[in-house]
């Protein structure tokens, strides 16, 4: 019987699919992310055939060496920067991800962060709860409206594209975008305008939303130098991966009023936050929950199960990300 280790609890629907196929499924009991040594110790307890890691589990040579029976790492996330892909490929280990329809949820969360920061919702909410509201005041919490603004989408894969569609059709926003490849669909359907560099996108936009994977080439894609090119009235939204933004540079830019605000779902050193970030009222922060809708999390679990089933039934897993 094939045995599968899922590092932490995921929705039951995926586990049920696997059990119905006759696989033996063990779910790690951790409530918070295990350290790599803890994970290795756990994995060594049995000759597992599959590991389902979460994005918080660092999977590299140390893990591959410790569990040589594992031939597929079916990551429970669309991003797979937690796994050393090159090393997995060298060892003929399959790696899969979960690029489902739930990308809509992530795109919606990016829209929510943008609206929340522009309307100063988090600040206003705290103000009301603190009992500070003394009556209507025309000058109170003046924010910005989204309609008519120019929004730059950095990375127009599935999530970036859906974000662009939502903004252009529902909010009267002009979309500009940068990606390493042009996206003719959003040019035609959303009137999106391609710009030739991240710097140009940052300089022209009233708000910038990042939708790139974390790669060596996207690490600190947003940094001190290009934050300096943004309009002082502009906003930055990040729902991709924290290290895409130099968080220290961002904190400084927000402290100095170099940009107006930021909505962040991901953090460079998560779960730790760069010093100064929590004190900033011109931010809206969420704990990496952009795809945390029941439908989305269940879809991810189903995709994980299907990738594993593909593998054991002799097909190339539908979401294999390495060669
Ligand atoms: C992903 O899938 O990569 C998200 O960041 C977590 O769901």
């Amino acid at each position: 019987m094939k045995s599968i280790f899922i590092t932490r609890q995921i929705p039951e629907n995926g586990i049920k699919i696997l059990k119905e196929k006759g696989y033996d499924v063990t779910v790690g009991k951790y409530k918070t992310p295990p350290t790599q040594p803890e994970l290795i110790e756990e994995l060594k307890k049995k000759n597992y055939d599959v590991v389902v890691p979460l994005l918080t589990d660092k999977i590299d040579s140390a893990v591959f060496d410790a569990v040589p029976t594992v031939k597929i790492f079916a990551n429970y996330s669309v991003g797979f920067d937690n796994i050393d892909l090159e090393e997995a490929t060298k060892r003929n280990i399959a790696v899969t991800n979960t690029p489902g329809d739930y990308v809509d949820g992530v795109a919606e969360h990016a829209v929510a962060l943008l609206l929340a920061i522009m309307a100063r919702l988090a600040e206003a909410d705290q103000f009301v709860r603190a009992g500070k509201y003394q009556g209507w005041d025309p000058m109170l919490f003046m924010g910005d409206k989204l309609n008519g603004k120019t929004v730059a989408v950095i990375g127009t894969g599935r999530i970036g594209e859906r974000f662009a569609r939502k903004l252009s059709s529902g909010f009267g926003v002009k979309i500009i975008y940068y990606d390493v490849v042009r996206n003719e669909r959003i040019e035609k359907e959303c009137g999106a305008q391609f710009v030739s560099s991240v710097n140009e996108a940052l300089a022209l936009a009233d708000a910038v939303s990042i939708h790139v994977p974390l790669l060596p080439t996207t690490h600190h894609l947003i940094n001190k130098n290009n934050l300096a090119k943004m309009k002082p009235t502009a906003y930055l939204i990040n729902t991709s991966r924290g290290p895409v933004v130099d968080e220290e540079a961002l904190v400084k830019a927000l402290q100095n009023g170099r940009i107006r605000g930021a909505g962040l779902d991901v953090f460079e050193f998560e779960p730790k936050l760069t010093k100064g970030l929590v004190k900033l009222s011109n931010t809206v922060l969420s704990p990496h929950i952009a795809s945390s809708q029941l439908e989305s999390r269940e879809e991810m679990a189903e995709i994980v199960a299907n990738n594993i089933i593909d593998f054991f039934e002799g097909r190339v897993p539908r979401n294999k990300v390495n060669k």
Side-chain angles (χ1 to χ4, degrees):
M1 193 197 290
K2 300 294 179 199
S3 56
I4 300 168
F5 185 76
I6 304 177
T7 61
R8 277 187 284 155
Q9 187 64 54
I10 63 169
E12 280 298 329
N13 65 314
I15 298 173
K16 188 165 172 266
I17 297 172
L18 292 166
K19 286 187 174 164
E20 278 169 5
K21 276 276 170 189
Y23 303 137
D24 170 42
V25 182
T26 306
V27 180
K29 301 253 179 293
Y30 311 102
K31 289 277 171 274
T32 53
T35 62
Q36 197 187 57
E38 281 167 348
L39 184 59
I40 288 177
E41 198 186 309
E42 188 61 41
L43 289 174
K44 278 181 159 171
K45 289 185 183 159
K46 199 163 168 177
N47 285 337
Y48 288 108
D49 300 289
V50 183
V51 173
V52 177
L54 308 192
L55 59 88
T56 42
D57 302 318
K58 188 170 160 48
I59 307 295
D60 58 15
S61 306
V63 177
F64 299 143
D65 285 342
V67 286
T69 48
V70 176
K71 291 291 169 243
I72 170 167
F73 284 80
N75 216 33
Y76 182 81
S77 82
V78 71
F80 43 87
D81 47 278
N82 57 312
I83 303 185
D84 185 340
L85 218 57
E86 215 176 295
E87 191 58 36
T89 306
K90 252 195 238 159
R91 297 173 185 235
N92 199 24
I93 294 169
V95 176
T96 61
N97 73 340
T98 58
D101 234 22
Y102 70 88
V103 293
D104 255 324
V106 182
E108 283 178 12
H109 195 83
V111 175
L113 285 175
L114 180 58
L115 290 171
I117 189 63
M118 292 182 87
R120 303 177 63 184
L121 273 184
E123 250 184 297
D125 177 90
Q126 282 178 19
F127 175 86
V128 174
R129 286 173 202 278
K132 293 185 182 162
Y133 183 40
Q134 308 262 308
W136 189 75
D137 176 348
M139 308 305 281
L140 194 61
F141 286 111
M142 257 188 242
D144 280 314
K145 72 181 166 95
L146 183 54
N147 183 271
K149 298 291 191 300
T150 297
V151 175
V153 183
I154 309 292
T156 55
R158 289 153 49 85
I159 300 172
E161 180 173 324
R162 293 208 199 176
F163 173 80
R165 285 177 188 280
K166 288 177 199 305
L167 286 193
S168 72
S169 62
F171 293 96
V173 157
K174 175 179 161 104
I175 300 288
I176 59 174
Y177 78 98
Y178 173 75
D179 202 328
V180 284
V181 283
R182 283 187 71 154
N183 184 326
E184 283 170 15
R185 277 188 309 276
I186 60 165
E187 290 185 18
K188 263 199 217 114
E189 291 162 31
C190 310
Q193 185 194 323
F194 176 74
V195 292
S196 58
S197 67
V198 173
N199 284 5
E200 194 183 344
L202 263 53
L204 294 171
D206 298 304
V208 177
S209 189
I210 305 164
H211 301 281
V212 295
L214 176 61
L215 301 167
T217 49
T218 59
H219 182 262
H220 284 188
L221 186 69
I222 307 299
N223 51 51
K224 183 175 170 214
N225 294 338
N226 55 25
L227 281 166
K229 305 222 179 301
M230 288 176 74
K231 296 181 185 177
T233 48
Y235 299 90
L236 182 76
I237 305 299
N238 190 10
T239 50
S240 65
R241 284 292 183 266
V244 171
V245 176
D246 177 344
E247 205 164 274
E248 196 183 329
L250 176 64
V251 168
K252 286 212 177 99
L254 289 162
Q255 283 170 336
N256 303 336
R258 185 60 215 78
I259 66 170
R260 187 165 281 169
L264 307 175
D265 184 53
V266 288
F267 305 94
E268 184 168 5
F269 308 104
E270 66 184 65
K272 293 202 181 101
L273 303 185
T274 295
K275 195 158 172 255
L277 186 55
V278 282
K279 292 228 166 77
L280 290 168
S281 57
N282 51 350
T283 58
V284 175
L285 311 176
S286 58
H288 205 149
I289 52 166
S291 59
S292 188
Q293 305 83 32
L294 179 64
E295 306 96 301
S296 308
R297 293 288 190 241
E298 286 190 338
E299 190 188 350
M300 292 166 73
E302 189 179 329
I303 295 173
V304 161
N306 286 332
N307 279 316
I308 295 169
I309 293 166
D310 282 344
F311 185 79
F312 287 123
E313 295 188 350
R315 299 180 291 274
V316 175
R318 58 198 75 184
N319 305 113
K320 189 165 185 254
V321 290
N322 60 339
K323 297 214 178 84

